[in-house]
Amino acid sequence: MTVNWLDYSYAALVASGGIVGYAKAGSVPSLVAGLAFGGLAGLGAYQQSQDPKNVWLSLIASGTLTGVMGMRFYNSKKFMPAGLIAGARFVPRIIHHLA
């Protein structure tokens, strides 16, 4: 059993993004979405640590978040936070394939 640290890091990034959005702008939707998607991503990372073939929760959570944040980035042209979160999902996969 190997621990999936990259996916746990992604989950922490998403959750902390929601917290920062709430702290800076008082955005309750950012807080709720960040904690919800961060929690789902963390649960998905845990499931993958137990069984590397169990990718469905991670795939659904990150795919949904990437789609939503990708559209926000496309519409606003602002990298922070939408572009960062939309692109961050691909970093663990790229690193995993390079290793």
Side-chain angles (χ1 to χ4, degrees):
M1 176 175 77
T2 59
V3 178
N4 196 341
W5 291 113
L6 291 172
D7 284 344
Y8 281 122
S9 299
Y10 172 74
L13 176 70
V14 171
S16 64
I19 293 167
V20 169
Y22 178 74
K24 288 181 80 173
S27 175
V28 174
S30 290
L31 178 65
V32 171
L35 293 178
F37 279 101
L40 288 173
L43 180 59
Y46 172 76
Q47 287 179 341
Q48 282 185 289
S49 293
Q50 301 300 309
D51 178 11
K53 294 181 181 181
N54 191 0
V55 298
W56 291 108
L57 182 59
S58 289
L59 184 64
I60 291 167
S62 67
T64 302
L65 189 59
T66 299
V68 169
M69 295 305 267
M71 287 301 296
R72 286 186 64 195
F73 173 65
Y74 179 78
N75 291 329
S76 71
K77 305 295 187 244
K78 294 180 182 177
F79 182 73
M80 287 297 287
L84 175 69
I85 296 299
R89 178 68 256 175
F90 300 106
V91 173
R93 300 294 165 238
I94 292 168
I95 292 172
H96 175 67
H97 288 295
L98 292 176

